[in-house]
């Protein structure tokens, strides 16, 4: 028999992974089919060269490529954030929610706060109107943000223009991420240059003159090198008087694959964010009687700015370099190294309500200016290899992280020792001017981190798996108060363990238990909180116990259920017996249940969301006197009940619709004391969207928020910095591929 074929010229060879995979699959199928034919009819081997043979038709079926992708639609199948190895989410003993690229587009997500609003167990907070701030299982953070697994922790706003997906990891994550991660962590997975060409422009226009354009362009340069660039520009106003947003950013990346076993990615980013620092509205009906709870002041009057919007600018400039090299050796060892250098320059100034509206109708105001300059240099090296001991298989990870974070911070106030700029009637809450002449703080913090970690993912049997890990961090802080010339040097050393056991009664179901610990040094998540008083204290400790179940109901639909208890120990508090002393207490606990779902109910119906029950409280009294926080006090911005569900339904190949619901119960704006507390009432909000795909190149959509024009408090920073939720609003978006 003779086979006749045509040779493909080199310049027409498939040059992306998808095409190469299809080519290999086709060749493989031909070989399988040929072998099958030979087995069915061995007479072929002895047939005459020119004889005519009739063969039966043999169908060769290969698995669809989409079934092996890490993300499909709203459903993420795999991740490396929680283990640093490519692992099925079903086999990770931890609750994880992933906001995929399809969901980012469908919901018109543009910020971290928007990304997590349908994630159970996570609350966005106000962050004083100048930074991303989240509440994980009752624990607030402004520093547990990561980019491709590397720390990105300055207090700023992050855009998602260069983000492929957002991974939300619940519970302490010290074994993987090091310090922090007490209640959870956010990891953004970057868009990466590849060999599939992309040319996409997205333009949005919305209510209150919201204007935004972003572009995504990438293609192969040759068989070994691919290029991609993402860019964004936004110039928007707000439903809040005088509040503006301007930002622009650009991120070019290059991926190099000199061989099948080596991959190199290089990227740089420049991002400039300019916001109005908006701290919302104060509370009202303040009273010393603890049975009377404060409420947000005129929450229905959503546009009123308290202070002076024009004198509350917030600017952050980020310049960053990211590099990764990964090589797989013939021995089975894989080495990966990530390097991130980031230079953050931040400035913000704000005039804000510093007290509640009193019985005479007046409110006090404060003001300050803050400057931060941070430089991060972080390097991670991971070694991954497989080991087999008898019938037990091990996926081993050995790693090292070295980092330096240098932070300079200054704060200016109107007068020495006070931020006060007077009082105004709440009916006219405008402060015309403020002085920032007094230098309140001037600090320098130089932190060196050296960490080593070991992890073993163990396949005991086909039904039993385990994961154990240990990380040792040495955290050395050189903190200088430049106003007093006081230098504090602290070296913390802590070990963060992790242990999980997974039982799989059937392939699609995993039942798990997990134990993990994280630490937060006294320098805090922003590295500038050291004082003579707390410098000798051990780091805060967070212990998490979690059991749960994960079920892949079908290849595109996943359910997760988790029950947990998170304990916070070594909390610094005033000694109730002597208010001149600070002591450490084991003083906080959150217990809860989380249920989540993501994926496709049918080929046309996609969903994402879940329910969370949280019971967070102070377990031992903190402080003394009128400001004491009593045992049994509920945690701030930790509602007992939250429920969210986003549904998209494709009517046909052209039209689609979506409906979302977000509801939460009452919660405290700030950890309530024995003298004062502010309640943020619960609410239910409905969102919707309409989609039109008019060709392979053109898609139009309209997203609507708060359909019923509900009056509600969105979130807070403290008792008197409360952000009103937006009234009904809309945004139209065009996505064009060329």
């Amino acid at each position: 028999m003779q086979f006749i074929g045509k040779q493909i010229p080199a310049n027409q060879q498939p040059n992306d992974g998808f095409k190469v995979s299809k080519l290999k699959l086709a060749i493989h199928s031909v070989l399988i089919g040929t072998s099958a034919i030979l087995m069915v009819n061995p007479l072929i081997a002895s047939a005459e060269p020119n004889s005519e043979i009739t063969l039966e038709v043999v169908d060769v079926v290969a698995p669809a490529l989409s079934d092996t992708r890490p993300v499909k639609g709203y459903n993420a199948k795999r991740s490396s954030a929680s283990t640093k190895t490519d692992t099925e989410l079903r086999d990770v003993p931890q609750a994880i929610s992933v906001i995929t690229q399809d969901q980012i587009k469908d919901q018109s997500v543009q910020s971290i706060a928007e990304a997590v609003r349908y994630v159970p167990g996570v609350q966005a907070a106000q962050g004083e109107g100048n930074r991303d701030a989240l509440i994980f299982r009752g624990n607030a953070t402004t520093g547990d943000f990561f980019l491709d697994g590397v720390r990105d922790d300055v207090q700023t706003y992050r855009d998602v223009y260069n983000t492929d997906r957002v991974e939300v990891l619940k519970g302490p994550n010290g074994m993987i991420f090091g310090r922090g991660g007490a209640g959870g962590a956010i990891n953004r997975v970057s868009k990466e240059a590849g060999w599939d060409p992309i040319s996409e422009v997205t333009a949005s226009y919305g209510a209150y003159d919201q204007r935004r354009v972003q572009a995504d362009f990438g293609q192969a340069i040759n068989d070994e090198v691919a290029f991609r660039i993402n860019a964004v520009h936004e110039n928007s106003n707000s439903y809040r008087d005088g509040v503006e947003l301007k930002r622009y950013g650009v991120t070019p990346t290059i991926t190099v694959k000199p061989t099948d076993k080596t991959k190199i990615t290089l990227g740089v980013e420049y991002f400039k964010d300019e916001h109005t620092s908006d701290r919302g509205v104060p509370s009202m009906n303040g009273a010393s009687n603890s049975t009377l709870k404060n409420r947000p002041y005129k929450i229905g009057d959503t546009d009123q700015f308290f202070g002076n919007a024009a004198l509350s600018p917030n600017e952050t400039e980020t310049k960053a370099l990211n590099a990764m090299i990964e090589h797989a050796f013939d021995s089975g060892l894989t080495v990966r190294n990530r390097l991130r250098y980031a230079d953050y320059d931040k400035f913000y100034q704000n005039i804000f309500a510093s007290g509640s509206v009193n019985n005479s109708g007046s409110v006090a105001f404060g003001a300050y200016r803050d400057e931060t300059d941070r430089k991060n240099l972080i390097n991670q090296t991971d070694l991954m290899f497989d080991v087999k001991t008898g019938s037990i298989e091990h996926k081993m990870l050995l790693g090292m992280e070295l980092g330096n974070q240098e932070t300079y911070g200054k704060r200016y106030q109107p007068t020495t020792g006070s931020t006060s700029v007077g009082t105004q009637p709440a009916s006219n809450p405008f402060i015309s001017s403020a002085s920032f002449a007094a230098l309140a703080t001037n600090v320098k913090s130089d932190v060196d981190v050296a960490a080593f970690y070991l992890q073993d993912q163990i396949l005991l049997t086909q039904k039993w798996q385990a994961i154990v890990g240990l990380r040792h961090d040495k955290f050395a802080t050189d903190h200088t108060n430049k106003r007093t010339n006081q230098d504090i040097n602290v070296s913390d050393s802590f070990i963060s363990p992790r242990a999980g056991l997974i039982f799989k009664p059937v392939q699609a179901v995993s039942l798990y238990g997990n134990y993990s610990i994280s630490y937060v040094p006294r320098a805090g998540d922003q590295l500038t909180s050291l004082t003579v008083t707390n410098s000798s204290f051990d780091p805060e400790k967070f212990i998490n116990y979690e059991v749960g179940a994960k079920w892949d109901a079908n290849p595109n639909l996943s359910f997760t259920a988790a029950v947990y208890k998170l304990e916070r120990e070594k909390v610094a508090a005033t000694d109730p017996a002597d208010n001149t002393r600070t002591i450490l207490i084991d003083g906080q606990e959150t217990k809860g249940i989380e249920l989540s779902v993501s994926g496709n109910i049918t080929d046309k119906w996609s969903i994402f969301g879940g329910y969370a029950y949280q019971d967070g409280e102070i377990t031992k009294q903190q402080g003394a006197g009128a400001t004491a926080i009593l045992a049994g006090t509920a945690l701030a911005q930790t509602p007992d009940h939250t429920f969210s569900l986003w549904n998209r339904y494709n009517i046909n190949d052209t039209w689609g619709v979506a409906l979302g619901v977000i509801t939460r119960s009452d919660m405290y704006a700030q950890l309530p004391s024995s003298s004062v507390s502010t309640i943020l009432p619960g609410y239910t909000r409905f969102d919707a969207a309409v989609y039109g795909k008019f060709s392979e190149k053109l898609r139009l959509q309209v997203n609507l928020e708060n359909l019923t024009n509900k009056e509600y408090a969105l979130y807070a920073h403290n008792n008197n910095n409360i952000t009103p939720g937006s009234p009904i609003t809309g945004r139209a978006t065009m996505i064009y591929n060329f």
Side-chain angles (χ1 to χ4, degrees):
M1 300 178 66
Q2 185 176 8
F3 291 87
I4 300 175
K6 180 179 179 181
Q7 185 176 4
I8 303 175
N11 62 357
Q12 296 179 21
Q13 292 279 357
N15 59 8
D16 62 70
F18 177 66
K19 292 180 180 178
V20 170
S21 297
K22 289 202 297 184
L23 178 63
K24 290 180 179 179
L25 180 61
I27 294 172
H28 189 56
S29 298
V30 170
L31 294 176
I32 293 176
T34 303
S35 300
I37 293 170
L38 290 172
M39 293 175 65
V40 170
N41 194 349
L43 294 177
I44 294 176
S46 60
E48 293 295 328
N50 296 322
S51 61
E52 189 175 296
I53 302 172
T54 301
L55 303 176
E56 296 180 5
V57 176
V58 178
D59 292 329
V60 180
V61 180
L65 181 62
S66 60
D67 292 340
T68 64
R69 292 176 180 173
V71 177
K72 183 180 181 183
Y74 288 3
N75 190 28
K77 305 292 291 183
R78 311 182 69 86
S79 172
S80 60
S82 180
T83 60
K84 287 186 178 290
T85 62
D86 183 27
T87 303
E88 282 196 60
L89 284 175
R90 188 178 59 207
D91 296 337
V92 177
Q94 178 182 7
I96 299 175
S97 297
V98 180
I99 300 97
T100 68
Q101 183 63 202
D102 281 5
Q103 189 178 337
I104 288 173
K105 289 182 176 179
D106 284 355
Q107 294 180 355
S108 190
V109 169
Q110 299 174 359
S111 67
I112 295 296
E114 291 179 347
V116 302
R117 58 190 170 187
Y118 282 90
V119 176
V122 181
Q123 291 287 122
Q126 184 195 89
E128 296 182 284
N130 68 71
R131 60 186 181 262
D132 289 323
L134 297 175
I135 314 289
F136 291 94
R137 295 180 172 177
N139 294 276
T141 182
T142 63
D144 295 315
F145 296 90
F146 297 84
L147 182 67
D148 298 321
V150 182
R151 191 172 294 275
D152 173 45
D153 58 356
V154 79
Q155 291 183 330
T156 187
Y157 287 113
R158 294 156 183 84
D159 200 284
V160 296
Y161 77 99
N162 190 48
T163 299
D164 181 71
R165 57 191 181 273
V166 179
E167 300 173 324
V168 185
L169 296 87
K170 320 289 183 62
N173 290 274
M175 192 265 129
I176 290 296
F177 294 124
R179 75 176 192 274
I186 290 281
N187 182 56
R188 290 175 294 145
V189 179
S190 299
K191 293 178 179 178
E192 187 177 291
W195 280 258
D196 290 323
I198 182 169
S199 302
E200 184 174 279
V201 173
T202 303
S204 297
Y205 182 81
Y208 311 105
D209 289 330
Q210 192 271 338
R211 294 157 293 193
R212 177 183 171 100
V213 178
Q214 63 186 71
D216 186 356
F217 175 79
Q219 66 177 28
I221 297 175
N222 54 41
D223 290 351
E224 288 79 34
V225 182
F227 172 78
R228 189 170 185 175
I229 184 169
N230 277 268
V232 66
H233 180 269
E234 183 169 354
N235 187 351
S236 300
N237 295 326
S238 168
Y239 64 98
R240 304 273 296 146
D241 280 350
V243 175
E244 298 178 344
L245 160 64
K246 296 180 182 178
R247 60 173 44 160
Y248 52 91
V250 59
T251 304
T253 62
I254 292 177
T255 300
V256 182
K257 288 187 176 180
T259 71
D260 291 339
K261 297 185 177 182
T262 303
K263 177 181 176 182
I264 303 168
T265 62
L266 298 170
V268 295
E269 179 179 16
Y270 178 83
F271 184 70
K272 182 70 174 289
D273 181 273
E274 300 178 13
H275 265 80
T276 302
S277 296
D278 178 14
R279 295 176 67 160
V281 303
S283 63
M284 62 183 295
N285 296 331
S288 59
N289 186 339
S290 62
T291 62
L292 299 177
K293 310 299 184 184
N294 291 3
R295 301 281 174 171
Y297 177 76
K298 289 188 177 181
I299 204 67
D301 189 9
T302 58
D303 59 349
Q304 180 66 67
F305 192 96
F306 277 70
N308 190 319
L311 295 181
S312 300
N314 168 36
E315 300 179 7
T316 305
E317 183 179 52
T318 301
K319 293 171 282 189
L321 166 69
N322 300 291
M324 189 278 292
I325 181 169
E326 184 175 83
H327 180 75
F329 291 90
D330 292 337
S331 62
L333 172 68
T334 298
V335 179
R336 179 178 60 225
N337 192 88
R338 289 190 183 275
L339 174 71
R340 175 172 171 83
Y341 173 77
D343 185 345
Y344 308 94
D345 187 5
K346 179 182 177 181
F347 158 85
Y348 76 94
Q349 178 177 293
N350 54 165
I351 300 176
F352 55 94
S354 58
S356 62
V357 178
N358 60 30
N359 291 334
S360 66
S362 296
V363 58
F365 286 88
Y368 64 84
R369 175 189 297 162
D370 195 278
E371 300 172 4
T372 301
D373 180 30
R374 173 170 295 171
K375 294 178 176 61
N376 285 358
L377 179 61
I378 301 172
N379 190 86
Q380 295 178 353
T381 304
D382 296 320
L383 308 179
M384 294 158 285
F385 55 94
D386 295 336
V387 176
K388 192 168 185 178
T389 55
S391 61
I392 300 176
E393 299 178 9
H394 304 261
K395 182 187 290 186
M396 303 295 300
L397 169 73
L398 292 173
M400 175 179 69
E401 179 176 315
L402 301 175
N404 175 262
Q405 296 183 261
E406 188 177 77
T407 307
Y408 293 85
K410 291 182 180 180
R411 177 164 293 188
Y412 297 88
Q413 297 176 172
T415 57
T416 302
S418 175
T419 63
S420 176
V421 289
T423 62
Q424 281 289 110
S427 58
N428 182 30
F430 179 74
I431 300 294
S432 60
S433 64
S435 170
F436 302 95
L439 179 62
T441 60
N442 185 5
V443 299
K444 174 182 178 292
S445 174
D446 196 349
V447 173
D448 289 311
V449 179
F452 300 89
Y453 44 90
L454 169 66
Q455 178 182 269
D456 186 5
Q457 293 173 262
I458 309 168
L459 181 62
L460 299 166
T461 68
Q462 291 302 310
K463 292 190 174 184
W464 289 96
Q465 299 180 26
I467 178 170
V468 292
L470 204 63
R471 176 176 174 131
H472 176 265
D473 280 87
K474 186 174 182 182
F475 191 82
T477 305
D478 181 1
H479 183 273
T480 303
N481 185 333
K482 302 182 77 172
R483 289 181 65 242
T484 63
N485 292 320
Q486 186 179 60
D487 192 65
I488 304 173
N489 289 283
V490 176
S491 181
D492 291 310
S493 182
F494 42 86
I495 295 177
S496 304
R498 172 191 197 174
L501 184 65
I502 305 163
F503 174 62
K504 304 180 73 169
V506 295
Q507 186 64 24
V509 175
S510 294
L511 309 176
Y512 70 85
N514 185 45
Y515 169 81
S516 58
I517 294 178
S518 283
Y519 295 88
V520 177
R522 292 298 159 185
D525 62 6
Q526 291 304 313
L527 312 177
T528 57
S529 299
L530 272 180
T531 65
V532 174
T533 301
N534 69 16
S535 60
S536 61
F537 289 170
D538 292 336
E540 285 192 282
K541 184 178 181 180
F542 297 81
I543 307 170
N544 192 68
Y545 307 89
E546 183 174 327
V547 295
K550 298 184 179 184
W551 175 37
D552 288 346
N554 62 50
N556 301 318
L557 181 65
S558 298
F559 293 90
T560 299
V563 180
Y564 67 87
K565 181 172 77 169
L566 176 58
E567 300 174 347
R568 183 180 183 181
E569 298 182 354
K570 298 184 178 180
V571 179
T574 302
D575 186 349
D578 182 357
N579 60 15
T580 65
R581 296 179 63 243
T582 301
I583 59 175
L584 296 182
I585 62 175
D586 298 340
Q588 181 177 309
E589 181 180 274
T590 309
K591 294 178 286 188
I593 299 171
E594 292 173 3
L595 307 173
S596 63
V597 60
S598 62
N600 285 50
I601 298 290
T602 68
D603 290 342
K604 295 184 176 183
W605 182 10
S606 303
I607 64 172
F608 182 92
Y611 165 79
Y613 167 74
Q614 300 178 98
D615 179 16
E617 66 175 14
I618 300 299
T619 56
K620 291 186 179 180
Q621 180 174 326
Q622 299 180 15
T627 60
I629 300 170
L630 303 178
T633 299
L635 299 181
Q637 300 197 65
T638 308
D640 287 347
H641 304 279
T642 60
F643 174 78
S644 58
L645 189 64
W646 175 264
N647 301 264
R648 170 171 174 157
Y649 187 80
N650 293 326
I651 299 170
N652 52 40
D653 291 341
T654 301
W655 294 101
V657 294
L659 179 65
V661 57
I662 300 172
T663 183
R664 68 158 174 79
S665 57
D666 295 352
M667 66 182 187
Y668 285 105
Q670 182 178 337
L671 194 63
S673 68
S674 57
S675 61
V676 65
S677 59
T678 299
I679 287 285
L680 304 185
Y683 70 90
T684 298
R685 189 187 88 190
F686 294 94
D687 303 330
V690 178
Y691 310 96
K693 186 176 181 181
F694 300 103
S695 70
E696 290 300 316
K697 294 184 176 182
L698 178 63
R699 166 176 159 173
L700 301 177
Q701 68 186 65
V702 175
N703 290 79
L704 301 173
E705 181 180 306
N706 193 9
L707 285 176
T708 61
N709 206 30
K710 176 72 175 179
E711 295 178 0
Y712 67 100
L714 179 61
Y715 42 49
H717 173 65
N718 57 33
N719 286 332
N720 295 296
N721 296 162
I722 303 164
T723 299
S726 171
I728 184 171
T729 187
R731 179 187 301 163
T733 302
M734 178 195 72
I735 302 175
Y736 183 73
N737 294 273
F738 56 92

